[in-house]
Amino acid sequence: SESQVISMNSHRHFKIGSVGKPLGTVKIGPDSEILVKYEPDFHEGPRLEVDKDGYIHTGDLGYLDKDGFLFLQGRKDETIVLQNGKKVYPSQIEKALQEKLGPRQLFVFSPDQQSLRAVLVSPDPAVIIPQIESYNAEVGEFERIRAVHVTQEAFSTQNQLLTANLKLRRSDAQRHFENQSFVQIDRVQTPLAQ
């Protein structure tokens, strides 16, 4: 549920990529979850569920840097834990892919907790594979995309891949696409191979 503004950048205090400095008491839990001290004076509406120490568990993952700026990493319920124990944050990978491929609908998932797959909406599949290979060259082994499915079917509320707020329904999207044909990405395109 929505609560209050917990951090913000200002014209004097800002850091690119952060959501700013916390306005109240914020700490990071042992599992990287952002915890916010409940302040009843600043909250309107029904009382929120708090833990024994008076903190609201936001469900968001993040970290505070050495200067006290808060950075978001994704949602706790969207984290993929691979068999090797590595944690993957799909929203971060999706953001990196969008920076490389341009704005387009896409999502990342792992059907087997061993490797990552991506589904992308694009009218031109031929340009996607080299860009994925280039992305793979820039990231760690566990963050590499191993298979891609390119579709022309946009994610929408009509096909129930998006919520009414236009957020991706990850589990529905995975069920919808997991049995489609995927192109295996075996190469990593290094700058010299381009």
Side-chain angles (χ1 to χ4, degrees):
S1 71
E2 305 301 321
S3 174
Q4 62 204 33
V5 174
I6 64 166
S7 70
M8 63 183 256
N9 281 301
S10 70
H11 67 283
R12 283 196 192 151
H13 302 285
F14 67 92
K15 191 173 277 190
I16 294 174
S18 81
V19 293
K21 287 193 171 187
L23 302 174
T25 305
V26 171
K27 70 178 185 178
I28 305 301
D31 59 353
S32 299
E33 184 175 12
I34 299 169
L35 308 176
V36 179
K37 187 74 167 177
Y38 179 68
E39 303 286 347
D41 295 340
F42 297 105
H43 176 73
E44 296 177 9
R47 180 167 166 80
L48 296 171
E49 189 174 321
V50 297
D51 66 15
K52 64 180 175 46
D53 297 322
Y55 282 89
I56 300 166
H57 291 247
T58 65
D60 291 313
L61 299 172
Y63 65 93
L64 290 164
D65 73 1
K66 64 179 175 51
D67 299 320
F69 285 89
L70 181 63
F71 289 81
L72 296 179
Q73 293 180 296
R75 295 282 303 157
K76 186 175 178 178
D77 59 357
E78 294 176 353
T79 304
I80 298 169
V81 180
L82 299 175
Q83 283 184 343
N84 63 9
K86 297 282 190 182
K87 290 184 180 179
V88 177
Y89 306 106
S91 59
Q92 287 186 323
I93 294 173
E94 291 160 359
K95 182 179 176 185
L97 286 170
Q98 286 175 331
E99 287 172 5
K100 189 160 282 295
L101 298 166
R104 67 181 70 243
Q105 290 181 314
L106 60 91
F107 82 99
V108 172
F109 71 101
S110 178
D112 55 9
Q113 273 53 55
Q114 293 181 31
S115 62
L116 299 178
R117 291 183 173 190
V119 174
L120 299 102
V121 177
S122 176
D124 187 8
V127 300
I128 298 299
I129 302 302
Q131 295 288 5
I132 297 289
E133 290 171 342
S134 176
Y135 160 81
N136 282 348
E138 299 169 2
V139 299
E141 182 78 23
F142 68 98
E143 295 175 302
R144 291 182 181 161
I145 303 299
R146 301 298 180 183
V148 176
H149 175 74
V150 179
T151 180
Q152 293 183 9
E153 175 187 9
F155 308 160
S156 68
T157 55
Q158 288 77 24
N159 61 15
Q160 299 180 352
L161 298 178
L162 298 179
T163 67
N165 293 336
L166 304 181
K167 293 182 181 176
L168 179 67
R169 295 179 188 267
R170 284 192 182 276
S171 58
D172 291 338
Q174 182 172 339
R175 275 193 300 279
H176 185 79
F177 289 107
E178 68 186 346
N179 293 321
Q180 300 295 321
S181 63
F182 280 76
V183 175
Q184 297 301 310
I185 307 292
D186 297 323
R187 289 185 4 186
V188 174
Q189 191 175 83
T190 62
L192 295 176
Q194 291 176 352

